[in-house]
Amino acid sequence: MADLASWAQEARDDQWWQEAEPQKVIDIIESVCEGQLDPDDAAGEIQATYESLILANPKAATVIWAILFRAVASIGRDQDASQRLVDLVLALQKTGEMFNQSGSPVKLNGQVVWSELPEFSYMFRTYCLSISHPDDCDGDWTEEAAPTLVNATTFGALYLNQTSDPKHMSFFASTGLIDGLEKSWPDVEMHRQAPVYLDAATIWINQGGAAIYRLCHDRFPRTAAVGTLEKGCKWLWTGGQGFSPARWDFWKQRLDACAANQDFDLELRAKVEQAKKKMEAIEEEAK
């Protein structure tokens, strides 16, 4: 993988990761992505490499997330590599708790290392979803934003579909679906931002749809604000915050409308149609 080799070299050259421990983690993650190291074995190696550092300062765990999410930001669209990284995160979580000398679980910002994946969500957003506003972008915004969202969403959706605890990723799933399906865009942005966010929404459904359906069925709450609107945009969903069966149905209706919208190119409309069929298949399987 050319992108993987590029990521690994950039990570090894990073001035903040020159110590032996982060360099070892870079090697481990590269081997996992290449399929040369089992994620369970990799999790054990990472834990052993960083145990003393985390016991001395739990914030050291964030270095591991930074390295891993830099990889996601570079190669996340590769589903095989993303799946291996998801397996690595789940394996780290399964290693359970770390205990300090007094016998208490080691915590970072109130969350237990590793069972509660402290700072996982924050670091995912920081390293994988930092997208500039189109007006602040020096180059082609689409060329910058589209790969970023595809990489992050592919990993995020695969993770959401496999985790037993949706709290870390459900926020990003709902945000992705809001941006992709719950806004009406003015004409100029219909051809710039709308396709990028719609594409990401289809990935959430196609890769994480089963988990999203469960969240909707269980009416999983989402208390965060829905976000801000671009000038000229309007909210299309007015049914309240949180996941719900009604919102699931609304997303399916929006996919149907987008699939017929000739402002989008044929490739994107095909992805939208695939997402709609995925929702229908999930509903059928749930009966």
Side-chain angles (χ1 to χ4, degrees):
M1 298 180 204
D3 288 343
L4 177 62
S6 177
W7 160 78
Q9 189 57 55
E10 288 179 7
R12 291 188 181 100
D13 291 342
D14 192 297
Q15 62 175 324
W16 301 108
W17 297 339
Q18 291 305 302
E19 292 83 1
E21 292 84 0
Q23 291 287 316
K24 177 69 177 294
V25 171
I26 294 165
D27 292 342
I28 291 169
I29 290 177
E30 184 178 28
S31 295
V32 168
C33 290
E34 290 174 335
Q36 297 179 358
L37 182 61
D38 180 79
D40 288 326
D41 295 335
E45 288 190 30
I46 289 174
Q47 186 186 42
T49 300
Y50 260 81
E51 183 174 12
S52 62
L53 294 177
I54 292 172
L55 288 172
N57 181 2
K59 287 185 69 175
T62 62
V63 176
I64 297 167
W65 295 143
I67 294 170
L68 187 144
F69 287 136
R70 276 269 292 270
V72 170
S74 296
I75 64 169
R77 63 188 173 277
D78 183 316
Q79 288 191 29
D80 290 338
S82 261
Q83 182 59 64
R84 293 183 187 115
L85 291 175
V86 167
D87 291 342
L88 174 57
V89 172
L90 296 174
L92 270 172
Q93 189 172 27
K94 284 191 300 184
T95 61
E97 301 174 348
M98 294 179 63
F99 296 92
N100 57 29
Q101 290 183 341
S102 65
S104 300
V106 176
K107 294 183 178 182
L108 174 59
N109 291 337
Q111 295 182 314
V112 177
V113 181
W114 289 99
S115 59
E116 294 183 330
L117 302 180
E119 297 297 285
F120 179 85
S121 304
Y122 172 76
M123 298 297 283
F124 175 74
R125 179 175 59 188
T126 300
Y127 280 87
C128 298
L129 289 172
S130 295
I131 300 173
S132 62
H133 187 277
D135 294 340
D136 298 327
C137 183
D138 293 333
D140 186 317
W141 181 83
T142 300
E143 290 184 2
E144 174 189 309
T148 299
L149 276 176
V150 169
N151 287 334
T153 304
T154 301
F155 171 88
L158 290 170
Y159 174 82
L160 181 64
N161 227 28
Q162 290 181 248
T163 183
S164 60
D165 182 1
K167 69 175 181 291
H168 288 292
M169 202 57 67
S170 58
F171 173 86
F172 301 110
S174 60
T175 300
L177 290 163
I178 288 169
D179 286 340
L181 297 174
E182 295 187 2
K183 294 179 179 178
S184 69
W185 296 87
D187 288 345
V188 64
E189 297 304 336
M190 190 67 182
H191 299 282
R192 180 166 62 165
Q193 294 191 62
V196 172
Y197 289 113
L198 178 58
D199 187 31
T202 67
I203 296 172
W204 280 115
I205 295 296
N206 284 322
Q207 300 298 332
I212 292 168
Y213 180 81
R214 290 193 297 270
L215 292 171
C216 289
H217 180 269
D218 295 341
R219 300 180 185 274
F220 191 81
R222 179 180 183 272
T223 55
V226 294
T228 58
L229 282 176
E230 298 286 340
K231 184 178 180 181
C233 288
K234 295 180 181 178
W235 293 122
L236 300 176
W237 166 256
T238 57
Q241 296 181 355
F243 293 86
S244 67
R247 203 166 199 172
W248 171 272
D249 290 340
F250 176 77
W251 289 332
K252 191 168 63 170
Q253 293 168 11
R254 288 289 299 135
L255 287 171
D256 198 36
C258 291
N261 189 336
Q262 296 191 10
D263 283 329
F264 301 125
D265 63 35
L266 287 174
E267 181 180 0
L268 180 55
R269 286 158 58 195
K271 292 180 182 179
V272 171
E273 184 66 29
Q274 180 186 7
K276 187 187 74 168
K277 290 180 179 178
K278 179 71 172 182
M279 295 181 81
E280 293 169 346
I282 290 168
E283 292 171 342
E284 189 64 28
E285 188 174 339
K287 290 180 179 179

